Amino acid sequence: MKTFRRTKIIATLGPACEAPETLEKLLRAGADVVRLNFSHGSAEEHQARAELVRDIARRLGTHVGILADLQGPKIRVACFKGGKVTLQDGQSFDLDTALPHDDGDATQVGCSYEALPRDVKAGDKLLLNDGLIELKVKAVAGTRVHCVVTSGGVLSDHKGINKQGGGLSAPALTDKDRADLRTAVMIGADYLAISFPRSKYDILEARTLLRSEGSDMGIVAKIERADAIAKGVIEEIIEASDAIMVARGDLGVEIGDALLPHEQKRLIRLARQHNKVAITATQMMESMIENPQPTRAEVSDVANAVLDGTDAVMLSAETAAGRFPDRAVAAMARVCLEAEKYPRMRQSNHRNDQRFHKIDEAIAMSAMYIANHLPVRAIGALTETGHTPLWMSRISSGIPIFALTAHEKTCRRVTLLRGVYPISFSETGISDHAVLNKAIVQEFLDRKLVTQDDLVILTKGDLTGHSGATNALKISSVRDVLATAA
């Protein structure tokens, strides 16, 4: 019987996997969702990549989700006359939003973010180039921020700027992001990632823009700012989103690396408590950009994210620009499978002390508790939108959840859900529930997912084809389902 990996893998597309044969290897190795990084490339390039992914997925008989990741307000230094400078500890160095773009030198550099002088004050710490260079603000005068270098190094063109502790007021959606959002809708992406949201209002703005374009794609809030993890703020962001991404690069810079592991665990836990999806990202297998095997530390990092309960783990430069893109996916899949064997990964106290407010929600929770206390081989959830399998996937279990749906969009949407596997299935013309049950288990048998002696759980609604109508749960052996409909 096939072993199912519950944790999903997101692979970022880029030059390293441009060739169709390489992209096919990537999908075969286990990529469930591909990421289109709108920080790079044109709309035409992203559309071509999306079409190629879907062509290959159809040929392989599988479903692959597409995540469109908006660039957001990257706050960067401008350019240096020689391309880079070396900053020494203790020297003065200024950031000036009015300095000509290419006039940077060892004493000053321009900045793309005009509000920087308003957002900082004496004593603040600015972190450049992913935290490798540290500046302490001494004073602000007009457009110029006077700093002293507290941790020097080489600084080159267009490196990012973060403020330790957060507080930079740049809006999450830029004009470029709004244009890219329309491209994502045109492509038919399944999820849209919003970079650097500060509050729920950034998510709600994106939701409004999507609806105005006629799209209901899922929204992923990338948690990258210290402001976003404040108590009360993060809960509202999660509630407004469909998923969150623990984007450990910028977040780690803003809050400090020592606090990052705790925040990762807290954010994943909060997402699951709110019945939302969690993605863990950044440098998960960074060494595989150049090497064919991950380090032991990277293996432990991925495994710990799985043990934390993340729905998905993400590869960035490893697959977009690395030398071994398919091997990076295969290595991540291998680590996830082993981590999922730990006994605690099949135990859950999720919502034991809470009331349910919807019938379909109660059916989903009941199915999982039953499945965890009986020798069930598979769960089949007939679904229109994917909500029932989403609720099911919040319960830790080793039992695969098969989302059966006639909608290609729903098939791709559930590729991000932990432990959920899409099956294209149409109940059109089947009004007899015994016949419908038989059709579902026959689908399982045809795919070699179960045997006739296995126990299965099936959930569906009396009114098939209607969203939110799941109100029935059946527990039976495959053999008995077949006999009942004979």
Side-chain angles (χ1 to χ4, degrees):
M1 200 67 67
K2 179 180 177 180
T3 300
F4 289 91
R5 170 175 43 82
R6 298 181 62 73
T7 309
K8 303 306 181 71
I9 295 174
I10 303 172
T12 302
L13 301 189
C17 51
E18 202 80 81
E21 58 271 19
T22 306
L23 184 53
E24 181 171 335
K25 287 181 182 178
L26 203 73
L27 301 187
R28 287 185 180 275
D32 302 286
V33 177
V34 298
R35 171 177 172 247
L36 304 177
N37 184 0
F38 278 79
S39 295
H40 309 283
S42 65
E44 292 75 20
E45 288 172 324
H46 293 308
Q47 182 175 7
R49 285 171 177 160
E51 289 174 354
L52 182 58
V53 165
R54 288 183 174 148
D55 286 345
I56 295 172
R58 277 191 290 270
R59 181 157 47 79
L60 296 179
T62 189
H63 302 279
V64 178
I66 293 179
L67 168 65
D69 193 340
L70 301 182
Q71 176 176 293
K74 291 297 285 185
I75 301 169
R76 302 178 183 274
V77 300
C79 295
F80 297 94
K81 294 173 184 176
K84 62 182 178 181
V85 297
T86 299
L87 302 182
Q88 305 293 337
D89 290 5
Q91 77 164 81
S92 295
F93 187 74
D94 293 350
L95 302 172
D96 190 343
T97 59
L99 193 72
H101 186 73
D102 298 319
D103 274 9
D105 57 30
T107 66
Q108 62 181 351
V109 71
C111 174
S112 63
Y113 179 51
E114 292 183 358
L116 183 67
R118 297 195 300 271
D119 286 351
V120 300
K121 63 184 185 302
D124 285 344
K125 182 179 287 187
L126 298 178
L127 305 160
L128 281 59
N129 193 15
D130 290 332
L132 297 179
I133 292 174
E134 296 182 3
L135 308 177
K136 185 176 181 179
V137 177
K138 301 299 290 183
V140 179
T143 62
R144 185 170 285 256
V145 179
H146 301 287
C147 303
V148 63
V149 179
T150 54
S151 181
V154 176
L155 181 62
S156 56
D157 298 347
H158 302 303
K159 293 303 181 183
I161 303 173
N162 294 88
K163 178 184 173 187
Q164 189 173 72
L168 297 182
S169 61
L173 291 172
T174 65
D175 290 341
K176 172 179 166 29
D177 293 330
R178 292 183 176 87
D180 288 340
L181 178 148
R182 291 190 289 272
T183 299
V185 173
M186 181 268 294
I187 288 172
D190 305 293
Y191 290 93
L192 184 75
I194 308 302
S195 296
F196 302 100
R198 298 173 63 214
S199 73
K200 68 178 182 180
Y201 298 106
D202 294 320
I203 308 303
L204 296 176
E205 180 186 359
R207 185 85 68 188
T208 299
L209 290 171
L210 284 173
R211 285 175 178 160
S212 70
E213 296 292 330
S215 173
D216 63 348
M217 76 174 71
I219 293 181
V220 178
K222 295 172 65 178
I223 309 303
E224 305 180 86
R225 286 175 156 167
D227 316 57
I229 64 172
K231 185 174 176 58
V233 176
I234 185 59
E235 288 85 356
E236 289 184 344
I237 289 175
I238 291 172
E239 195 58 43
S241 309
D242 299 285
I244 63 166
M245 181 188 296
V246 187
R248 303 181 303 178
D250 284 284
L251 181 62
V253 170
E254 290 210 357
I255 68 173
D257 52 8
L259 291 177
L260 191 58
H262 167 75
E263 282 304 320
Q264 173 177 310
K265 294 177 186 296
R266 183 175 79 99
L267 290 169
I268 293 171
R269 183 175 67 251
L270 283 172
R272 294 183 67 81
Q273 286 173 355
H274 285 77
N275 291 321
K276 301 300 172 73
V277 174
I279 302 165
T280 306
T282 315
Q283 296 178 330
M284 303 214 76
M285 289 193 163
E286 184 91 347
S287 70
M288 289 196 74
I289 295 172
E290 296 293 338
N291 302 312
Q293 296 292 336
T295 66
R296 301 298 180 266
E298 288 165 343
V299 167
S300 294
D301 180 37
V302 173
N304 277 309
V306 174
L307 295 173
D308 289 341
T310 193
D311 286 85
V313 284
M314 192 174 94
L315 294 164
S316 298
E318 298 95 331
T319 52
R323 295 174 58 195
F324 309 97
D326 58 307
R327 292 182 69 163
V329 173
M332 186 167 265
R334 184 172 66 247
V335 174
C336 290
L337 276 169
E338 287 302 316
E340 290 165 2
K341 293 179 181 178
Y342 291 1
R344 79 175 192 180
M345 297 308 298
R346 300 172 183 236
Q347 301 168 357
S348 180
N349 294 317
H350 181 65
R351 302 185 69 187
N352 267 345
D353 58 348
Q354 295 181 18
R355 294 179 64 86
F356 306 134
H357 302 289
K358 300 178 180 179
I359 293 174
D360 47 355
E361 182 182 13
I363 290 291
M365 296 293 100
S366 301
M368 295 309 298
Y369 284 119
I370 293 167
N372 279 344
H373 290 83
L374 284 175
V376 172
R377 172 68 68 179
I379 300 164
L382 205 60
T383 182
E384 291 289 307
T385 62
H387 283 143
T388 299
L390 168 64
W391 286 317
M392 290 177 173
S393 68
R394 302 307 86 191
I395 303 292
S396 297
S397 171
I399 302 159
I401 303 161
F402 297 102
L404 300 116
T405 180
H407 307 295
E408 175 64 22
K409 183 170 70 173
T410 302
C411 282
R412 295 198 304 262
R413 189 84 168 254
V414 302
T415 56
L416 197 55
L417 306 183
R418 184 183 179 111
V420 177
Y421 314 94
I423 293 178
S424 293
F425 179 87
S426 177
E427 73 281 359
T428 303
I430 306 177
S431 56
D432 186 306
H433 282 270
V435 175
L436 181 56
N437 291 338
K438 179 181 178 180
I440 293 172
V441 298
Q442 189 61 56
E443 184 78 25
F444 288 173
L445 285 169
D446 293 344
R447 292 171 178 262
K448 297 182 170 53
L449 303 175
V450 298
T451 69
Q452 291 211 11
D453 294 322
D454 285 330
L455 200 63
V456 295
I457 292 177
L458 307 178
T459 65
K460 57 185 186 304
D462 287 334
L463 296 173
T464 57
H466 290 259
S467 175
T470 298
N471 64 357
L473 183 156
K474 182 176 181 63
I475 314 163
S476 180
S477 70
V478 171
R479 190 184 306 280
D480 287 347
V481 171
L482 297 175
T484 301

